[in-house]
Amino acid sequence: MHLLYSIHRLALLAMLSGVAGCAGNAAVVHGGPVSKSPLPPELLIGGFMDDYGIQYSISANEWHQLPATRYQVIEWHVDGQYLIARNNAANPSAPGLFTRIDWMLMPGMPPWEWGFCLSAYKAPTAAEAERTDIARRQMPLTGCNGHPFSRMQRIAPST
């Protein structure tokens, strides 16, 4: 299984060249979905802190923004560098709706390993969340609907 994660990580490294961040209203809707992967990139799994001091715990099935915001991952789209998730019913914002999270690598920016953009966070359906495409990885400082991608650094997982 470690070999499979390594293969996915190598594929991700070969495809990525940017970073992802925040959702907004000026979304672009694109045509169709990219292929799905049952496994997330190993690079995105574990405990992280963003450049705003917010901590995250990310697994294959859940994106948890501490302390109380949770997203149940429905689909990983490794080749498209995004995931689709359903907002937990107990979330303080947009409970039960759907989210698209785009990511990108941040080579040469230690301690930041990668960044993300909440491209959609209150879509009524998973399909609409997937069609929302605002992330502009070639412009990480403004490529998340005019905002920067949230940069992530690995930390020990919270208990």
Side-chain angles (χ1 to χ4, degrees), residues 93-141:
S93 176
L97 298 179
F98 294 87
T99 292
R100 174 179 167 145
I101 301 173
D102 285 88
W103 72 81
M104 65 179 282
L105 292 181
M106 303 192 78
M109 293 186 70
W112 315 113
E113 295 180 23
W114 57 280
F116 76 92
C117 176
L118 289 175
S119 294
Y121 61 92
K122 55 182 179 179
T125 66
E128 187 171 323
E130 186 169 358
R131 285 190 306 268
T132 303
D133 184 11
I134 65 164
R136 301 294 171 256
R137 292 172 182 84
Q138 69 278 15
M139 303 179 311
L141 293 178

Side-chain angles (χ1 to χ4, degrees), residues 60-64 70-77 82-88 91 94 96-101 118 120-127 129-130:
N61 300 315
E62 182 179 65
W63 178 292
H64 182 192
R70 295 176 182 267
Y71 305 93
Q72 282 68 51
V73 177
I74 298 170
E75 300 172 349
W76 288 93
H77 295 265
Y82 69 92
L83 66 88
I84 303 299
R86 182 149 200 178
N87 303 356
N88 189 284
N91 280 2
L97 298 179
F98 294 87
T99 292
R100 174 179 167 145
I101 301 173
L118 289 175
Y121 61 92
K122 55 182 179 179
T125 66
E130 186 169 358

Side-chain angles (χ1 to χ4, degrees), residues 17-28:
S17 63
V19 184
C22 306
N25 296 327
V28 173

Side-chain angles (χ1 to χ4, degrees), residues 1-10 39-43:
M1 185 172 226
H2 180 69
L3 177 61
L4 191 54
Y5 276 114
S6 296
I7 292 169
H8 280 283
R9 186 172 184 184
L10 288 173
L39 298 173
E42 184 179 3
L43 178 73

Side-chain angles (χ1 to χ4, degrees), residues 18-77:
V19 184
C22 306
N25 296 327
V28 173
V29 177
H30 70 79
V34 242
S35 62
K36 302 171 194 171
S37 172
L39 298 173
E42 184 179 3
L43 178 73
L44 303 183
I45 302 302
F48 298 92
M49 182 168 56
D50 70 17
D51 46 0
Y52 301 101
I54 299 169
Q55 292 189 19
Y56 300 79
S57 177
I58 303 170
S59 71
N61 300 315
E62 182 179 65
W63 178 292
H64 182 192
Q65 179 180 325
L66 300 166
T69 303
R70 295 176 182 267
Y71 305 93
Q72 282 68 51
V73 177
I74 298 170
E75 300 172 349
W76 288 93
H77 295 265

